[in-house]
Amino acid sequence: MPAAWAAAGPRAEPCLIFPVIFSEVFSPVAFLCSLYQSPGGKAFFIPGEHMQDCELEFLWLNGTPKDLPLPAYASAAAAGMDVAAALDAPLTLAPGAIALVPTGFAVAIPEGCELQVRPRSGLAVRHGVTVVNAPGTIDADYRGEVRVGLINLGPAAYTIRRGDRIAQLVLAPVLRATVKVVTQLAGTVRGSGGFGHTGR
Ligand SMILES: O=c1ccn([C@H]2C[C@H](O)[C@@H](COP(=O)(O)OP(=O)(O)OP(=O)(O)O)O2)c(=O)[nH]1
């Protein structure tokens, strides 16, 4: 995990220091979404116990349902919380069909983070049912119902029932850019080569 996030390097320094100072002083929650600046100038996420402190507020929109679980991690180190369909009636997705499936809740995400709506690999590989806009983005300032856009890419119709786990929610940090117009970009070896220019 830390290696996967390691990347920002010295140029990210100004935007990394603020969240650390801010979070350490004001918000233990936001701390988890912050980057830590090492003496060597490399940025990385602090692994370990801090990552378990982040609190997401969930609000059931139609009262707490007796039959639906809260989004939950299925294993000790799972990255995503499985989320269940809050359907009133079964929904059959014909091959090629898309449906927006309700979850029955809204969330308040710590500023500086997003929730990604990602497919469950079992559903995708076994039945071709996946998140059509994967990864869906739940913005920190969104207060509407979280919904999951599903598409059936498989050859057979697939029925989703209330309580079925349809996707997973992954909390992730957000870096926002300041856009600056320039007349020339710094040169690189790759230059404008892309779209397979290095071969198969
Ligand atoms: O899978 C998703 C994706 C988005 N949303 C909600 C939360 C998100 O904050 C909002 C807007 O999503 P997005 O910005 O991806 O959609 P848009 O088409 O650009 O809509 P908007 O113009 O409202 O931003 O819709 C979901 O509930 N599920």
Side-chain angles (χ1 to χ4, degrees):
M1 178 79 167
W5 291 109
R11 291 186 80 185
E13 215 166 301
C15 68
L16 299 179
I17 290 171
F18 172 73
V20 170
I21 293 171
F22 171 85
S23 59
E24 280 187 343
V25 174
F26 298 107
S27 168
V29 171
F31 175 79
L32 304 168
C33 303
S34 300
L35 295 167
Y36 179 77
Q37 189 71 23
S38 77
K42 288 285 175 193
F44 54 86
F45 278 87
I46 299 173
E49 72 272 17
H50 297 297
M51 298 187 73
Q52 293 163 19
D53 295 334
C54 199
E55 197 170 82
L56 269 182
E57 293 181 356
F58 282 85
L59 174 70
W60 290 111
L61 295 170
N62 300 307
T64 308
K66 292 192 174 77
D67 58 339
L68 290 181
L70 270 175
Y73 296 103
S75 70
M81 294 177 281
D82 289 336
V83 60
L87 288 166
D88 292 329
L91 172 72
T92 297
L93 277 177
I98 296 174
L100 206 46
V101 181
T103 63
F105 61 76
V107 291
I109 300 166
E111 216 171 292
C113 296
E114 58 154 338
L115 260 190
Q116 297 179 354
V117 184
R118 299 201 200 164
R120 292 190 66 222
S121 52
L123 200 55
V125 170
R126 286 192 203 123
H127 305 286
V129 175
T130 187
V131 175
V132 66
N133 57 329
T137 305
I138 312 295
D139 301 288
D141 55 359
Y142 178 72
R143 293 295 180 269
E145 182 178 27
V146 171
R147 295 191 284 177
V148 179
L150 290 180
I151 183 167
N152 182 357
L153 300 176
Y158 185 82
T159 299
I160 301 155
R161 295 185 171 75
R162 183 175 178 84
D164 285 355
R165 291 178 297 156
I166 49 170
Q168 55 182 321
L169 302 177
V170 175
L171 186 67
V174 170
L175 288 181
R176 280 169 55 103
T178 303
V179 177
K180 179 175 136 192
V181 177
V182 295
T183 53
Q184 204 172 6
L185 298 175
T188 66
V189 173
R190 172 189 285 269
S192 58
F195 306 98
H197 91 293
T198 56
R200 281 190 71 180

